[in-house]
């Protein structure tokens, strides 16, 4: 048995690969035509989004300028010329039943392994670090005792920019495919871009790049037109050109632009051959030729594969945990980092969200994933997001990097994530110089990052209700609660708690900056917040979420539905707003009403009727997504809150429920891939209770990583060192945590033979006992052994 | 042989139906999954847009709020329960080869006739006049000598608003399907609309309607979910539910919303049965129930079919021509009216343009189609478009009727179509009262239509170059020429000609309104225009199209490409700007450079390189669409210009080349359906020279009708009567034209035994000779016989 094995797949021993063992997996029906990759939802269907093979941010990883119609798939067909039998190197599109079938999803690559009619094929897709290039490496092995004459045909549909499918008939008119014999393949241009030109005109600008698709073997033929390749009345499942072994060589500006290269491979019995294809997107024709020529070489592609693996190593391996919980290890060491970095930050696309836009608070939070491994990436994101702040302190809710346009709202928490993430960056790195970085405002002018952060805080001070609670505005973190505060009267207790927490951390920075007047003011605001939230926000057994413009409570026992919300409880605890008694009360309410078999619900009971007054949260079916489902992002905060409320076993129980590999065993109801987090899971009011939804593109990945290492393992940075404060299940014998901290490696071995949850009896640093439970900030660039005895 | 028969289809004797006789037609590849209708491009593929069955403007005919994903098709599957064989009532999606196959495209309906395995099926789709309802009428005939047990399964995918396909995964979450046993079918709601709510919020509003799909027979089962209907790893071609004969009865808010109704039909040998289904969109649940119950009755549906036919009659039959040219007859009497009314005005969608928006000048011109049959519809459109004018005289370039938002540009001709069409309406109806209708401005305030028209003219006076030529601004009629005039310096000679023509017609209206100061001013402007266009716009052998902001000529012999444009020649003639000599010269240039086998090119030679300076016209491949193709709309004006330049044979030769039925004989290169006009045909620089493009949604339909009756047949309204001025081919023996004019029928028989092109020898009205060549405005509501002898 493999690890977390079910009838569809399993993890490799070190958790760095997920192996699918059958073409048939329990994914829900989705609209797109599947491409060839078989795992679970995304990889089966929306599949193949380039971020899955990302190696640094480049134009292959940004969906907004996707170069091919990845949603429809990219295929390699194969034809046995002696028997005229055709199949594909992935199950789809031809859907032959292979004799042997495996798909390996690894970090930066996917490999399809098949055996069909005596031919073993291995098709690996990956991106090349630092280059706008994807490589398809193919190995064919003749396992039969007869000579084989095989033809391979690649296939994909060009897009070259962002054009909704119903506009394809217009946009395809502007694509120009050219075959270049020198590079064994195509260069492709588009004479219309979805972006405006310098004069603000749409439809009068060319796409800024040159796409290419080439082969290591000299093609025997090619086609650039869908009509001739697919054939009249045929489809991708049975393209005429493959069956007939005739590619029409149509190129130019008059077709429906695709790329297909036909190469021939002859194999003696038991002989094997390797070849490769490129798919790339260059700045111009010359660069396309240089790149294609370089990577039309199987040895160069092997080297690129190794360099891709090396590229990912520091991002993953600067922090390694070894615990009794394999699910936690696999997700923390590998998959959550990969998900957050490749999909959330670089790709910004999932099957369900394809825009490629940045969310203000989304990618800021996501960037915390880099702190242990490469904090310079976090810094880069902080400065980029600071530049999307207006000089009045408000920020773009989201923006599109190409064209640089975005959405202005009165959302009440967006802006506060800038000081939050900045303070977390400083806590990790002790790099206060970031505060002096000068960053422009989105509407002109510039200021230091410190001033940007202060502006955000001061702007939020301007949006208080007369009784001293922050206004919710168009929405708070809960986007769907967007009907209650438009008149700028409704309040958000959650925003109050969040602001309180930020002030706690940011006041010391203000003092350091000798900004004492502001710091003193913030101390006053904190005292007001604490008093008023406890006075007006306490509902008897828990905190309410909000009030409406017309004075109703939201998340109160007085409500017909939505009695209790998760976030105001967890953040009352996290922020320190709640005293000891209320901590217990409100987390007990969470346990009683919200804690279900698949995690903690965002609210309960779900809203059964759509209500414009409440907002679009009520438009989801009851039990779905924010409306009474488990919203994974928020559920991770509940893990922290349970720990802070002194319930580490409960915290770990919750962690286990939302940690994906554990869902391998109820996969027929969970239905999605067990190696990335889902955005949500259906709640008990849904007929699909326990079904995962919208995997990959979820802000929960970074947070699930963070709650594991900083709160369950309990090892977190403070100004003067690394705090050791585990809150682990008492059943554990201990764990090991090796991490980089300010350039120095701490290899920490925790012994819990005492079988407690928390408490440190002894710490030895390099075999010497130290006082307290904090490792000093050594900063000597060396590796230090740390032994901790709990008790 | 049928009329205009080729291997794929033919016209019925009276031209009112086009009959497809094989599933295999030469349509180009298109991206969408075909629905079941087989004719040419649109009907095969994008197929089934509801306007094809429109009967008055209602929410079924407006694509912008399409209720189903029509692009993916609507199907009826059939299953023989004794043999388990399945097929579909149209060739697609199951693609069985029928023993007999016909599709009849008629006015307001399409019927699929098939015989397969001894079962004849006839499936007719049509819309009910005045009701937001489409009916599918099905007749099954058992032609075998065994008893047959058959099940039918309907299938379609709900959309309920406008959601691009990549957003389906989000939008489907808000659709709620319910099965109602009382109405034998579904009611379906959506809790999110693509429109903003009253507070300007998107995503927080419900779709305003209730959709329904019901059956005359009590269904034995049903399904509302795509996953269970199609089945894992299956597709529309082979849905699991049909093969298994099991519908899962999934409804509610958690599926991927479709509708499928399963009904059983048992037929004795040679027995037949009729049934019907509804597909509708009501204002609320109660109305949905009332409508469904009423039309769940085959007799009611028969009556509705008759009423649909009666609905179309006056729109088509108030004007009938009988000429020696069957192609002209079929198109003029039937198809051009149907195309302009159903697709352009009511549907506003084609396979390639799906928005449902109104173009300011587009639907204004289209509305001229109603003048002979129902001018009140023209009036309605004029007043609607007047309401999209700002108080400064500028207009929205296009707008969306739902949500009422649109595009503001500096396009230079849009605004002038208001006085143009208004004057044409008055010329037809003599109804000057329209000028006193009070219409609001788009930005507030209101005024009479007369003042709206004057504002348009005066606004265009404010956009002249210092040498007295109108500025082109963002573009003129030629949208793609949008790079040359953004700085408001480039000139458009075509706009000058168009303005000149409008002034000629509108000055008398100004005088009538005692607006003599303005009228005098307009006379001055005309003299300036005539002089300056002839001075600065004459290129030696033809008129140039425009100048650029930086002073270059466009459409001049000095240009490297695009030496000559069509419109400045045709409108120099139509407007009267050109004197007799230059008329001949410029139309000879048209003949020499632009007149090709498939009509007159818009310009020659095509631009070979995309140029931002020129505009997006240069982004099309050379020979495609505006860039050196035949743009049908503009080609119709060349017919008029040839006639006015005294070349009626040339005019008719051109008319024949662009009249669709004539393309039946080169259908393998033309490729599109021969009963509607295409927007364009590839020019000689395209490798697909002669290929039709973008049929149905083309402003050319109305114009092709107009040039036939008003200019070739030459019978056109003037203030005081109906002018008889034919410009027919001399080979004709004559023709007959019966039309309504101001409530009175004129049945005009033209005798051309003299075999001339033009010239009237004698006119008898009700057997009495009259002087001149104008029929008096009798307005007695009777029918008058007119005999005309040419000579």
């Amino acid at each position: 048995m493999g690890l977390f094995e079910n009838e569809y797949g399993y993890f490799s021993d070190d958790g760095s690969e997920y192996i699918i063992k059958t073409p048939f997996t329990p994914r829900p029906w989705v609209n797109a035509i599947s491409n060839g990759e078989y795992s679970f939802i995304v990889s089966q269907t929306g599949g193949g989004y380039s971020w899955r093979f990302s190696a640094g941010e480049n134009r292959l990883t940004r969906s907004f300028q996707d170069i091919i119609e990845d949603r429809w798939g990219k295929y390699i067909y194969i034809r046995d010329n002696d028997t005229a039998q055709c199949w594909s190197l992935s199950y789809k599109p031809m859907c032959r039943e292979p004799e042997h079938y495996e798909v390996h999803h690894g970090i930066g690559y996917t490999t399809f392994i098949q055996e069909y009619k005596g031919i073993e094929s291995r098709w690996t897709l990956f991106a090349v670090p630092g280059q706008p290039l994807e490589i398809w490496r193919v190995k064919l092995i003749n396992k039969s005792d007869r000579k084989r004459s095989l033809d391979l045909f690649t296939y994909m549909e060009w897009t070259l920019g962002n054009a909704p499918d119903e506009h394809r008939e217009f946009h395809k008119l502007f694509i120009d495919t050219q075959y270049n014999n020198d590079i064994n393949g195509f260069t492709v241009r588009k004479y219309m871009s979805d972006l405006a030109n310098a004069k603000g005109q749409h439809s009068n600008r060319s796409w800024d790049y040159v796409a290419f698709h080439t082969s290591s073997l000299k093609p025997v033929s090619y086609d650039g037109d869908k009509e001739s390749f697919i054939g009249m009345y045929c489809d991708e499942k049975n393209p005429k050109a493959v069956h007939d072994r005739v590619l029409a060589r149509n190129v130019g500006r008059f077709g429906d632009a695709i790329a297909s290269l036909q190469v021939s491979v002859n194999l003696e019995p038991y002989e094997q051959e390797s070849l490769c294809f490129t798919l790339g997107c260059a700045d111009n024709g010359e660069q396309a030729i240089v790149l294609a020529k370089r990577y039309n070489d199987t040895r160069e592609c092997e080297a690129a594969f190794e360099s891709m693996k090396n590229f990912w190593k520091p991002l993953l391996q600067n922090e390694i945990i070894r615990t009794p919980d394999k699910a936690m290890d696999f997700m923390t060491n590998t998959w959550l980092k990969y998900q957050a970095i490749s999909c959330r930050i670089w790709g910004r696309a999932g099957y369900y969200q394809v825009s490629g836009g940045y969310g203000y608070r989304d990618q800021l939070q996501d960037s915390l994933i880099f702190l242990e491994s490469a904090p310079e990436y976090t810094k880069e994101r902080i400065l980029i997001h600071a530049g999307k702040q207006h000089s009045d302190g408000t920020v773009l809710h989201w923006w599109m990097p190409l064209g640089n346009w975005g959405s202005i709202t009165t959302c009440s928490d967006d802006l506060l994530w800038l000081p939050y993430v900045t303070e977390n960056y400083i806590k990790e790195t002790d790099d206060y110089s970031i505060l002096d970085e000068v960053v422009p405002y989105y509407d002109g002018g510039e200021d230091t990052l410190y001033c940007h952060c202060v502006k955000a805080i001061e702007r939020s001070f301007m949006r208080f209700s007369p009784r001293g609670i922050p206004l919710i505005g168009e929405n708070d973190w809960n986007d769907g609660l967007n009907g209650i505060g438009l008149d700028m009267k409704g309040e958000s207790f959650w925003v109050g708690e969040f602001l309180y927490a930020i002030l706690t951390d940011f006041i010391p920075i203000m003092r350091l900056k000798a900004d004492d007047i502001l710091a003193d003011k913030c101390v006053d605001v904190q005292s007001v917040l604490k008093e008023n939230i406890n006075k007006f926000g306490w509902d008897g057994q828990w905190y309410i979420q909000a009030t409406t413009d017309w004075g109703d409570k939201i998340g109160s026992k007085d409500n017909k539905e939505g009695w209790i919300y998760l976030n105001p409880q967890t953040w009352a605890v996290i922020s320190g707003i709640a005293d000891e008694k209320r901590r217990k009360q409100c987390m007990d309410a969470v346990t009683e009403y919200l804690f279900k078999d698949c995690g903690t619900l965002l609210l309960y009971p779900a809203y059964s009727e759509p209500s414009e007054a409440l907002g679009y949260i009520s438009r989801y079916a009851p039990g779905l997504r924010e409306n009474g489902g488990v919203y994974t992002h928020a559920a991770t905060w509940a893990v922290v809150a349970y720990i802070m409320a002194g319930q580490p076993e409960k915290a770990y129980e919750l962690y286990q429920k939302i940690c994906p590999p554990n869902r391998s065993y109820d996969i027929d109801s969970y239905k999605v891939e067990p190696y990335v987090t889902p955005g949500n899971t259906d709640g008990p009011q849904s007929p699909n209770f326990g079904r995962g939804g919208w995997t990959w593109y979820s802000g929960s990945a970074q947070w699930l990583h963070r709650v594991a290492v900083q709160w369950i393992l309990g090892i977190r940075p403070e100004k003067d060192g690394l705090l050791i404060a585990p809150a682990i299940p008492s059943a554990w014998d201990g764990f090991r945590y090796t991490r980089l901290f300010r350039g120095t490696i701490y290899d920490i071995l925790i012994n819990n033979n005492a079988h407690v949850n928390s408490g440190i009896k002894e710490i030895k640093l390099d075999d010497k006992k130290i006082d307290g439970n904090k490792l000093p900030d050594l900063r000597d660039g060396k590796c230090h052994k740390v032994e901790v005895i709990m008790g």
Side-chain angles (χ1 to χ4, degrees), chain A:
Chain A
M1 282 287 281
L3 292 158
F4 301 99
E5 180 157 357
N6 60 32
E7 64 180 296
Y8 309 110
Y10 59 92
F11 282 89
S12 64
D13 286 348
D14 65 352
S16 66
E17 275 194 344
Y18 191 81
I19 297 111
I20 312 288
K21 54 187 186 176
T22 166
F24 304 105
T25 54
R27 61 92 173 86
W29 178 261
V30 283
N31 278 317
I33 297 165
S34 290
N35 87 330
E37 303 171 45
Y38 271 85
S39 69
F40 295 88
I41 288 186
V42 172
S43 37
Q44 280 185 339
T45 55
Y49 280 107
S50 304
W51 49 261
R52 302 193 56 246
F53 316 114
S54 65
E57 180 154 38
N58 67 43
R59 66 187 65 98
L60 275 178
T61 67
R62 276 177 277 163
S63 161
F64 189 72
Q65 51 187 30
D66 247 355
I67 57 170
I68 63 162
E69 255 301 353
D70 230 356
R71 292 197 309 144
W72 303 142
K74 38 193 174 192
Y75 304 128
I76 299 179
Y77 299 95
I78 185 166
R79 184 181 190 277
D80 182 324
N81 295 323
D82 298 318
T83 63
Q85 282 175 322
C86 304
W87 65 102
S88 43
L89 296 197
S90 48
Y91 179 66
K92 288 263 176 138
M94 282 199 148
C95 300
R96 310 288 185 236
E97 272 196 53
E99 288 130 35
H100 178 74
Y101 185 86
E102 272 175 56
V103 185
H104 292 237
H105 291 302
I107 300 308
Y109 64 93
T110 284
T111 301
F112 297 92
I113 303 171
Q114 278 194 154
E115 194 175 326
Y116 187 76
K117 305 280 178 192
I119 297 295
E120 182 181 315
S121 60
R122 293 169 173 263
W123 175 23
T124 299
L125 301 93
F126 65 97
V128 184
Q131 304 283 21
L133 191 73
E134 182 176 296
I135 285 173
W136 302 358
R137 202 176 58 169
V138 177
K139 184 183 274 189
L140 298 173
I141 307 166
N142 181 2
K143 294 189 143 183
S144 68
D145 52 11
R146 63 182 174 93
K147 203 173 155 176
R148 305 294 283 265
S149 159
L150 305 170
D151 273 10
L152 264 62
F153 306 78
T154 62
Y155 178 78
M156 72 197 83
E157 188 174 313
W158 298 107
T159 301
L160 311 187
N162 183 39
D165 194 55
E166 73 269 23
H167 288 163
R168 173 85 184 162
E169 293 301 313
F170 182 61
H171 281 268
K172 75 176 188 188
L173 300 179
F174 304 101
I175 302 178
D176 189 359
T177 57
Q178 294 301 335
Y179 186 78
N180 181 339
N181 194 50
D182 271 0
I183 58 169
N184 295 348
F186 294 94
T187 53
V188 191
R189 291 165 174 83
K190 186 178 174 196
Y191 302 127
M192 187 175 285
S193 166
D194 46 301
L195 300 176
N197 65 16
K199 292 181 172 174
Q201 290 186 297
H202 289 262
S203 77
N204 189 15
R205 171 179 172 167
S206 291
W207 188 63
D208 295 324
Y209 312 100
V210 175
F212 57 96
H213 172 52
T214 64
S215 163
S216 62
L217 290 185
K218 181 65 69 186
V220 296
S221 193
Y222 57 87
D223 200 358
D225 181 36
K226 190 169 180 176
E227 183 176 350
S228 46
F229 183 83
I230 298 288
M232 197 84 84
Y233 303 103
C234 299
D235 53 27
E236 278 89 348
K237 198 167 181 169
N238 280 298
K240 189 168 186 306
V242 173
H243 285 292
D244 293 355
R245 205 190 171 194
V246 178
L247 259 60
R249 300 178 184 234
N250 285 327
V251 292
R253 298 168 69 178
F254 289 90
D256 190 353
I258 57 129
S260 180
L261 295 174
Q262 177 187 359
V263 297
S264 290
V265 177
N266 292 299
L267 293 175
E268 297 294 327
Y270 307 103
E271 195 190 5
Q272 64 180 50
E273 177 148 352
S274 291
L275 54 153
C276 60
F277 300 95
T278 71
L279 169 60
C281 178
D283 289 326
N284 50 53
E286 294 70 43
Q287 195 194 41
I289 289 169
V290 169
L291 285 167
K293 284 189 172 169
R294 174 168 174 192
Y295 292 102
N296 277 352
D297 179 316
T298 52
R299 278 161 312 177
E300 191 70 31
C301 290
E302 287 305 317
F305 188 72
E306 289 312 307
S307 85
M308 182 278 294
K309 284 182 136 177
N310 290 330
F311 170 86
W312 275 104
K313 267 182 195 157
L315 291 173
L316 307 181
Q317 297 182 0
N318 282 341
E319 180 213 41
I320 297 286
I321 68 171
R322 292 281 177 262
T323 74
D325 183 341
K326 285 273 187 199
M328 183 186 276
D329 288 2
F330 292 175
M331 294 309 293
T332 304
N333 293 335
T334 306
W335 289 98
L336 294 172
K337 294 173 191 167
Y338 186 60
Q339 179 181 0
I341 295 170
S342 74
C343 176
R344 288 285 293 186
I345 299 176
W346 289 338
R348 296 184 310 285
Y351 178 62
Y352 312 98
Q353 262 180 300
V354 297
S355 78
Y358 287 103
Y360 193 87
R361 55 191 169 191
D362 296 335
Q363 276 73 27
L364 259 182
Q365 289 172 74
D366 295 331
S367 76
L368 296 171
I369 197 72
F370 289 118
L371 282 182
E372 295 86 359
S373 49
E376 63 276 15
Y377 284 113
T378 312
K379 178 177 176 182
E380 181 189 16
R381 283 246 63 83
I382 290 170
L383 300 178
I384 290 170
H385 285 242
K388 305 303 168 184
Q389 186 187 44
H390 302 97
S391 52
D392 69 357
T394 62
V395 301
L396 295 179
H397 191 55
W398 52 256
W399 76 92
M400 292 293 171
L402 296 183
N404 192 22
W405 57 282
S407 160
I408 294 172
T409 74
T410 59
C411 168
S412 49
D413 70 312
D414 279 344
L415 69 182
L416 288 171
W417 291 99
L418 185 66
Y420 180 88
V421 173
T422 299
E423 195 277 334
N424 272 274
Y425 167 81
I426 292 171
K427 207 179 266 160
E428 172 69 36
T429 60
D430 204 40
D431 170 20
Y432 284 84
S433 74
I434 193 174
L435 295 169
D436 302 322
E437 296 275 353
V438 175
V439 186
Y441 290 107
Y442 189 65
D443 55 350
E446 60 176 33
D447 225 332
T448 62
L449 177 65
Y450 174 74
C451 290
H452 279 267
C453 290
V454 164
K455 280 224 173 172
I457 290 168
E458 291 195 304
R459 178 77 199 178
S460 81
F461 287 178
M462 294 166 67
R463 293 176 179 167
F464 267 55
S465 75
R467 56 181 193 170
I469 307 292
L471 302 176
I472 187 168
E474 191 154 338
N475 57 280
D476 63 12
W477 176 90
N478 197 332
D479 282 338
L481 211 51
N482 68 336
I484 65 172
L486 290 168
D487 295 339
M488 299 311 269
K489 293 180 193 162
E491 302 159 316
S492 169
F493 292 98
W494 176 79
V495 171
E497 295 164 353
F498 181 46
L499 177 59
Y500 185 95
I502 290 168
L503 293 179
T504 303
D505 288 334
F506 222 79
I507 287 169
I509 291 176
M510 293 170 182
R511 301 249 181 246
L512 206 86
K513 286 277 172 188
D515 212 348
D516 285 306
I517 296 174
L518 180 61
D520 291 345
K521 183 177 173 185
C522 289
V523 170
D524 292 347
V525 172
Q526 276 201 306
S527 72
V528 167
L529 279 172
K530 191 168 197 166
E531 187 174 335
N532 292 332
I533 291 173
N534 276 300
K535 190 190 285 179
F536 303 120
W538 184 248
D539 201 46
Q541 286 184 283
W542 58 78
Y543 291 92
I544 63 174
Q545 159 81 16
T547 61
T548 68
D549 283 332
W550 51 98
D552 282 353
K553 293 176 188 170
I554 298 289
S556 157
K557 61 182 183 310
D558 301 337
N559 292 123
K560 190 174 143 261
E561 296 170 326
W563 305 329
I564 176 169
Y565 276 66
L566 178 61
N567 288 347
Q569 322 318 324
T570 55
W571 279 83
V573 176
I574 293 169
S575 66
I577 289 270
D579 62 18
E580 180 118 9
K581 187 179 164 201
R582 288 193 172 175
R583 279 179 188 225
K584 187 175 178 331
Q585 283 180 297
C586 73
M587 289 311 292
D588 283 353
V590 169
T591 304
E592 183 173 353
Y593 295 108
L594 301 177
F595 198 131
K596 304 292 171 188
D597 254 3
C598 52
T600 44
L601 308 178
L602 192 63
L603 63 88
Y604 183 82
Y607 298 105
S608 56
E609 295 293 331
S611 156
E612 199 171 308
L614 202 58
Y616 80 80
I617 191 170
S618 65
R619 301 185 176 279
Y620 291 113
L624 196 65
R625 294 182 52 78
E626 286 99 324
N627 190 16
V630 173
Y631 208 81
T632 318
H633 189 149
T636 65
W637 292 335
V639 175
V640 182
Y642 274 123
I643 288 172
M644 294 182 80
Q647 300 184 49
E649 296 288 349
K650 205 77 200 162
Y652 182 66
E653 188 189 342
L654 172 57
Y655 175 86
Q656 285 187 299
K657 288 192 186 305
I658 58 176
C659 190
N662 299 327
R663 308 302 303 273
S664 300
Y665 309 118
D666 58 355
I667 199 70
D668 287 315
S669 58
Y670 186 55
K671 290 197 173 175
V672 296
E673 59 272 58
Y675 49 88
V676 286
T677 58
N680 59 287
T681 304
D682 280 28
Q685 290 174 272
S686 158
N688 310 305
F689 180 34
R691 180 182 65 172
W694 295 26
T695 50
W696 281 99
Y697 196 73
S698 164
S700 57
Q702 178 277 132
W703 278 106
L704 195 64
H705 170 269
R706 194 169 175 84
V707 304
V709 298
Q710 296 209 354
W711 295 96
I712 296 175
L713 305 191
I715 297 175
R716 50 186 181 270
E718 298 205 334
K719 180 159 175 40
D720 51 351
L722 208 47
L723 189 75
I724 312 279
I728 57 175
S730 61
W732 282 14
D733 292 330
F735 64 91
R736 183 173 177 180
Y737 184 33
T738 312
R739 63 157 293 180
L740 203 61
F741 178 60
R742 299 178 190 171
T744 294
I745 297 169
Y746 294 78
D747 183 10
I748 305 164
L749 200 67
I750 309 260
N751 175 327
N752 189 30
N753 287 337
H755 289 288
V756 294
N757 294 121
S758 305
I760 301 299
K761 196 164 157 189
E762 181 184 289
I763 297 182
K764 277 194 200 157
L765 172 62
D766 297 325
D767 297 321
K768 278 174 220 148
K769 273 180 73 169
I770 61 168
D771 289 334
N773 67 341
K774 195 179 292 179
L775 304 178
D777 177 10
L778 298 169
R779 260 193 256 204
D780 57 8
K782 295 184 182 161
C783 176
H784 298 276
K785 193 176 77 174
V786 181
E787 291 163 284
V788 178
I789 298 174
M790 293 179 68

